[in-house]
Amino acid sequence: MTDRRSFLRGTSSLMAHAAFPQVLAAFLAGCAPTAGTSQLKTLFLSQADMQRVTALVDLILPATDSPSASEARTHEFIDAAMSACATSKQQATFRAGLAALADEGFDKADTKQRIALLKQRAAKDVALPYDASFFKI
């Protein structure tokens, strides 16, 4: 019997391949660690932003009896998708959203504080159009 996460991982891979072949190719080819370091090569995000996105995806889908979002390399997929599929406006909005979270203390906050920050930002984002909303992108 397939569990929900396995089904979603498989379905996401198929949908991503159909909709974003260049993203999937970049994702599968590697966001491998840079030679001599443990840092991932990124296509769009800075290392600080990649760490922030990793924390975000793990807040949404933490490890339970199945892997966390970062263990499924969701943060790497986001990096590849933002590089290959987002417009320059969407990229700017995404970067600004990550910068705003950093300015608000997200990086040093504990889990409860991070969730509170995200809820506050999401409430402000609801009325914004897609390209201007960090949470809709």
Side-chain angles (χ1 to χ4, degrees), residues 30-42 47:
C31 301
T34 303
T37 73
S38 62
Q39 291 186 337
L40 295 173
K41 290 186 290 186
T42 60
Q47 289 298 321

Side-chain angles (χ1 to χ4, degrees), residues 55-93:
L56 283 167
V57 299
D58 282 346
L59 282 174
I60 296 166
L61 190 61
T64 57
D65 58 336
S66 58
S68 68
S70 64
E71 291 171 304
R73 298 174 56 197
T74 303
H75 57 301
E76 295 173 39
F77 185 82
I78 290 169
D79 179 56
M82 289 303 298
S83 173
C85 301
T87 65
S88 57
K89 169 80 169 130
Q90 292 165 347
Q91 289 175 341
T93 297

